[in-house]
């Protein structure tokens, strides 16, 4: 039996199957026509990122992408806001995972949201939701800037759940804001909130932005 996990303007997320065959399906069939192209771009981007990351432990495996349905393997665990990772080992492993993403030429871009981080049953981290991920050359300046933003978001979560384990270097990184995050705060975020709240009537109850 399929279970609906979430539905918003960009589609529905279903939990399908059971046991080893458990899958997570992103279903765009209910998306309004004028949002279709955007939703499809997001899913296509996710498919591309997951294909690149195939074999990386801590990221779902892409199972299929039809243009309307995207299926990825299910990772057993809880979203960060429920799993509450208070063990510094979680954050060490999460940092390693970000380095692996980066080595494969992928930046996530949406890691401020706690629901995109999972705490697996064995306590290790996993990352989901690659709709606005970036794919590029790991050495380019732009890519490195975005990778640093991914890391800053991870460190903010570390500050929430185990602040006493932040190293001096990590504290410095948190204190230093990039021009990108400042610009986002000043204008991008306002536009995003206006769009999602007014235009899409979106209830953003998905953790902290
Ligand atoms: N592969 C997965 N394994 C386990 N849970 C998942 C997986 N993919 C998504 N989820 C759960 O479903 C939620 C919504 O999926 P997500 O890809 O983040 O969709 P959205 O783009 O709508 O935020 C996630 O926050 C997570 O709790
Ligand atoms: Mg998400």
């Amino acid at each position: 039996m399929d279970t609906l996990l979430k539905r918003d303007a960009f589609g529905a997320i279903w939990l399908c199957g059971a046991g080893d065959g458990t899958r997570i399906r992103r279903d765009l069939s209910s998306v309004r026509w004028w949002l279709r192209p955007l939703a499809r771009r997001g899913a296509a981007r996710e498919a591309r990122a997951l294909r690149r990351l195939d074999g990386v432990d801590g990221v779902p495996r892409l199972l299929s992408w039809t243009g309307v349905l995207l299926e990825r393997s299910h990772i057993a665990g809880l979203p960060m806001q429920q799993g509450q990772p208070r063990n510094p080992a979680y954050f060490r492993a999460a940092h390693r995972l970000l380095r692996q993403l980066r080595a494969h030429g992928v930046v996530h871009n949406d890691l401020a949201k706690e629901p995109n981080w999972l705490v697996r049953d064995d306590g290790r981290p996993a990352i989901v939701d690659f709709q606005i991920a970036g794919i590029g050359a790991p050495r380019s300046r732009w890519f490195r800037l975005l990778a640093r933003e991914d890391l800053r978001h991870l460190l903010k979560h570390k500050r929430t759940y185990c602040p006493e384990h932040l190293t001096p270097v990590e504290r410095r990184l948190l204190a230093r804001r990039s021009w990108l995050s400042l610009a986002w705060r000043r204008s991008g975020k306002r536009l995003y909130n206006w769009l999602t709240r007014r235009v899409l009537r979106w209830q953003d109850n998905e953790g902290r932005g």
Side-chain angles (χ1 to χ4, degrees):
M1 200 193 63
D2 299 346
T3 312
L4 180 66
L5 295 182
K6 169 176 180 190
R7 185 190 289 283
D8 64 25
F10 290 102
I13 307 288
W14 298 88
L15 176 69
C16 311
D20 277 350
T22 312
R23 305 167 323 272
I24 298 277
R25 178 186 299 150
R26 190 186 291 286
D27 178 357
L28 307 186
S29 60
S30 61
V31 177
R32 279 164 288 174
W33 66 268
W34 58 277
L35 277 176
R36 275 282 172 104
L38 204 59
R40 193 168 285 176
R41 252 180 80 167
R45 186 172 278 250
E46 175 158 71
R48 247 182 94 202
L50 292 184
R51 238 176 254 130
R52 271 218 174 188
L53 294 172
D54 194 40
V56 173
D57 182 45
V59 167
R61 211 149 30 82
L62 179 73
L63 302 174
S64 61
W65 163 233
T66 67
V68 180
L69 303 176
L70 182 148
E71 289 198 344
R72 42 207 157 132
S73 61
H74 172 256
I75 298 176
L78 292 171
M80 183 182 267
Q81 73 276 17
Q82 287 172 31
Q84 307 251 323
R86 307 223 175 256
N87 188 338
Y90 177 92
F91 292 94
R92 271 198 303 277
H95 195 160
R96 254 194 322 270
L97 184 51
L98 287 187
R99 277 199 295 268
Q100 274 180 290
L101 258 61
R102 185 176 169 168
H104 283 80
V106 176
V107 283
H108 186 282
N109 292 331
D110 206 11
L111 291 177
K113 292 193 179 139
E114 296 193 20
N116 291 339
W117 287 98
L118 302 181
V119 182
R120 286 190 265 179
D121 292 343
D122 61 7
R124 285 180 305 157
I127 296 176
V128 299
D129 194 356
F130 287 79
Q131 289 191 100
I132 59 168
I135 296 167
R139 283 170 195 287
S140 76
R141 272 185 76 141
W142 179 241
F143 187 90
R144 289 202 325 248
L145 178 67
L146 292 175
R148 205 150 48 233
E149 290 300 296
D150 275 358
L151 176 60
R152 278 170 51 87
H153 290 310
L154 171 65
L155 295 179
K156 283 190 190 172
H157 299 312
K158 186 174 179 184
R159 187 170 60 195
T160 301
Y161 292 108
C162 58
E164 66 282 11
H165 289 282
L166 281 170
T167 67
V169 172
E170 291 174 340
R171 282 180 199 283
R172 222 171 312 139
L173 225 162
L174 273 171
R176 211 180 51 209
R177 313 204 52 148
S178 72
W179 61 266
L180 186 68
S181 70
L182 284 172
W184 169 245
R185 244 204 136 68
R186 293 213 178 115
S187 52
K189 199 165 188 173
R190 229 173 271 166
L191 176 68
Y192 172 87
N193 285 343
W194 176 80
L195 259 175
T196 53
R197 294 198 186 132
R198 293 291 167 78
V199 182
L200 302 177
R201 296 180 187 287
W202 208 343
Q203 297 294 331
D204 196 6
N205 45 16
E206 253 210 312
R208 280 152 265 188

